Amino acid sequence: MDEKKILAGEFEANRAHLKTVAYRMLGSRAEAEDAVQEAWLRLGRADTSEVGNLGGWLTTVVARICLDMLRSRKSRREEPLDPPVHEKIADTAKSADPEREIVLADSVGVALLVVLEQLAPAERVAFVLHDMFDLHFDEIAPVISRTPEATRQLASRARRRVQGTTEAPEAGIEHRKEVVRAFLAASRDGNFQALLAVLHPDVVFAPDATAARFGHAGALRGAQAVATTFNGRARGALPAFVDGGFGFIVRIQDQLRIVVKIGFDGEKIATIEAIADPDQIERIKYRLFDR
C-alpha cells in the first residue's frame, strides 16, 4: 500500500507536466486528459522497481500513447476533439474559465499548434520531446521506433517546417527576408493590396494575451482579416531573425515590447505570432536583418 501511495504521489507531482506534453502533441485538452489517464493505468500495471527517473519514464509513456493517438487520428482523418485553438481564444466569453483558457493558449502558442498539425506523427513527437522538453534523441528514438540519428533528422525536418523554412538555401532566405520587409512596408503605408499579396489565404494571426492588450485583435484566420488588422500599423517595427526563423520586433521607448514570429507556406506568410509577455520575450533570441 505504501508503494502505491508513493507512486500515486509521484504521478500527481508530474501530472501538470504530462498534460502539457500531451497537449502540445495532440492540440486537444480532452485527448491530453485521456492520454494522461492511460499513462496512470499503465503505471499501475507496470513494474517500476528498476525505474530510476519516474518522471522521465512517464513522459515517454505519454509520448507513446500520444503517438498512437496521432496515428489513429490520421488514419481515420479525424480532427482533434477540441475546436481549433485560435477559435477558443477568440471566444473566451463562452469558456467556464476564460483566464485559464488564455493562460493555456499562451503557454502553447496558437500559431505553433496550427503548424504542428501539419507534421507527421513521428515528426511531431520528435520535435515536441526534443525542442520543447529537452529530451535526448537516444531517449526519443525508442518511442518512435527509429535510430537516434533518424530521430535527429525527423526533429530537424520538423523544426524547419515549424520555422517556416524547408531546405532554406541562401536564395530562399533572402527572398523571405524581402517578404518580411514588404509586409512591414505595406503595413506602415496602409497598402492593403500589397499586404494581401504577401499573405497566404489561410494565414493565422495569433497574439498572446499581453499583445492583444496592446491593441491587436484576437486570434484571426484569413488574409482579409489579417490584412485589415495590420493595415496602417507596424510603425517602428524592425525585421529580424527570431528563434532561428523570421519575424520582427517592436521597441517602445527603447524597450523591447513585442516580438513577432512569422512562418511561411511556400512564398506566402502563413502564421504570424505576436508575443508580448515579458517572461516569454526574455527567452526569445533574435537578430536584426542586415540593413
Side-chain angles (χ1 to χ4, degrees):
M1 179 64 71
D2 289 341
E3 183 180 351
K4 290 184 178 179
K5 286 184 178 179
I6 291 171
L7 285 176
E10 291 196 45
F11 184 85
E12 288 304 317
N14 284 277
R15 181 183 288 273
H17 166 74
L18 297 175
K19 285 172 65 176
T20 302
V21 172
Y23 184 71
R24 293 199 179 193
M25 289 188 187
L26 299 170
S28 163
R29 285 179 297 135
E31 287 185 341
E33 291 280 4
D34 289 344
V36 172
Q37 183 61 26
E38 176 62 25
W40 165 247
L41 296 175
R42 294 190 187 186
L43 175 63
R45 298 192 297 264
D47 178 6
T48 57
S49 58
E50 301 297 322
V51 176
N53 179 358
L54 187 62
W57 183 86
L58 287 168
T59 298
T60 58
V61 169
V62 167
R64 288 191 179 99
I65 294 168
C66 290
L67 180 61
D68 290 341
M69 294 172 75
L70 287 168
R71 285 171 171 165
S72 177
R73 179 197 297 171
K74 209 167 189 68
S75 68
R76 296 195 302 267
R77 296 183 180 179
E78 292 181 351
E79 297 296 328
L81 296 177
D82 286 359
V85 181
H86 64 278
E87 290 181 8
K88 290 189 292 182
I89 294 178
D91 194 12
T92 53
K94 296 180 181 178
S95 168
D97 189 351
E99 289 188 4
R100 182 176 178 277
E101 292 285 349
I102 290 172
V103 170
L104 179 62
D106 286 348
S107 70
V108 176
V110 181
L112 177 59
L113 279 178
V114 172
V115 178
L116 286 179
E117 286 296 328
Q118 302 171 15
L119 301 179
E123 285 181 333
R124 186 164 179 166
V125 170
F127 174 78
V128 168
L129 291 180
H130 180 265
D131 285 51
M132 298 183 182
F133 296 100
D134 295 323
L135 267 68
H136 295 295
F137 292 117
D138 288 345
E139 300 173 272
I140 304 170
V143 175
I144 59 175
S145 302
R146 302 287 205 285
T147 65
E149 182 55 36
T151 303
R152 182 190 301 274
Q153 293 174 0
L154 277 177
S156 178
R157 184 163 68 232
R159 190 178 308 114
R160 289 196 298 268
R161 295 181 66 184
V162 167
Q163 293 173 349
T165 60
T166 50
E167 294 304 313
E170 188 63 28
I173 292 174
E174 290 302 319
H175 174 74
R176 287 180 175 178
K177 285 168 64 176
E178 289 307 312
V179 172
V180 173
R181 290 191 178 106
F183 172 80
L184 293 178
S187 177
R188 284 191 296 267
D189 296 342
N191 190 333
F192 189 78
Q193 292 303 318
L195 280 170
L196 289 178
V198 297
L199 295 174
H200 188 279
D202 295 321
V203 60
V204 172
F205 171 56
D208 68 12
T210 307
R213 287 197 293 270
F214 277 132
H216 288 289
L220 300 170
R221 181 186 289 272
Q224 290 280 339
V226 174
T228 299
T229 295
F230 279 91
N231 200 27
R233 298 191 131 177
R235 294 180 178 85
L238 300 172
F241 294 106
V242 179
D243 281 348
F246 299 87
F248 59 89
I249 66 166
V250 177
R251 291 193 180 105
I252 300 174
Q253 296 180 344
D254 293 327
Q255 288 190 327
L256 181 63
R257 293 297 184 88
I258 303 175
V259 177
V260 176
K261 297 181 179 182
I262 290 177
F264 287 82
D265 184 345
E267 298 182 354
K268 302 284 189 178
I269 293 174
T271 60
I272 304 172
E273 183 175 8
I275 303 161
D277 179 83
D279 292 336
Q280 296 291 329
I281 285 179
E282 283 185 2
R283 294 194 285 268
I284 295 174
K285 296 180 181 179
Y286 72 90
R287 176 171 58 86
L288 297 179
F289 289 176
D290 296 333
R291 299 284 182 173

